């Protein structure tokens, strides 16, 4: 049995949930590679949709937490709004 990492399982889930994205990525691979070989890093500039799909997968289902939670100090504010005392805040790492 093959060991499946969380990123592999996330990719398989995304392709099952979004078949249109799977078809578009497969069409791009077939257009660039012609079904004759596996992609290499040299092919990456010719595969913009697949590159964006992989980045979106990492955003959609990260393999590890990319930030830590904190309790901000009293009288903190974000965009002119107050943050209540004791609120647990998570940072946005995708800015």
């Amino acid at each position: 049995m093959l060991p499946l990492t969380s990123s592999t399982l996330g990719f398989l889930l995304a392709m099952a949930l979004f078949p249109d994205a799977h078809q578009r990525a497969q069409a791009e691979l077939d257009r660039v590679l012609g079904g004759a070989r596996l992609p290499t890093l040299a092919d990456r500039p010719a595969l913009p949709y697949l590159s964006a799909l992989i980045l979106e997968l990492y955003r959609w289902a990260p393999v590890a937490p990319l930030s830590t939670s904190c309790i901000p100090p009293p009288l903190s504010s974000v965009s002119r709004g107050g943050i209540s005392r004791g609120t647990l805040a998570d940072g946005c790492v995708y800015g």
Side-chain angles (χ1 to χ4, degrees):
M1 180 169 190
L2 293 173
L4 296 174
T5 63
S6 61
S7 58
T8 303
L9 290 173
F11 179 79
L12 293 174
L13 176 63
M15 295 301 96
L17 291 175
F18 305 103
D20 53 328
H22 174 256
Q23 291 172 351
R24 188 169 171 188
Q26 185 65 54
E28 185 176 72
L29 282 169
D30 291 342
R31 178 182 52 80
V32 173
L33 306 175
R37 61 185 179 84
L38 294 174
T40 65
L41 288 176
D43 297 314
R44 193 160 191 181
L47 299 168
Y49 185 79
L50 191 60
S51 295
L53 186 88
I54 292 168
L55 289 176
E56 176 62 13
L57 174 67
Y58 290 147
R59 186 200 66 80
W60 181 66
V63 296
L66 298 176
S67 68
T68 58
S69 300
C70 68
I71 297 177
L75 303 175
S76 296
S77 66
V78 175
S79 298
R80 298 184 193 149
I83 299 175
S84 300
R85 173 174 282 181
T87 300
L88 186 64
D90 287 322
C92 178
V93 296
Y94 299 105

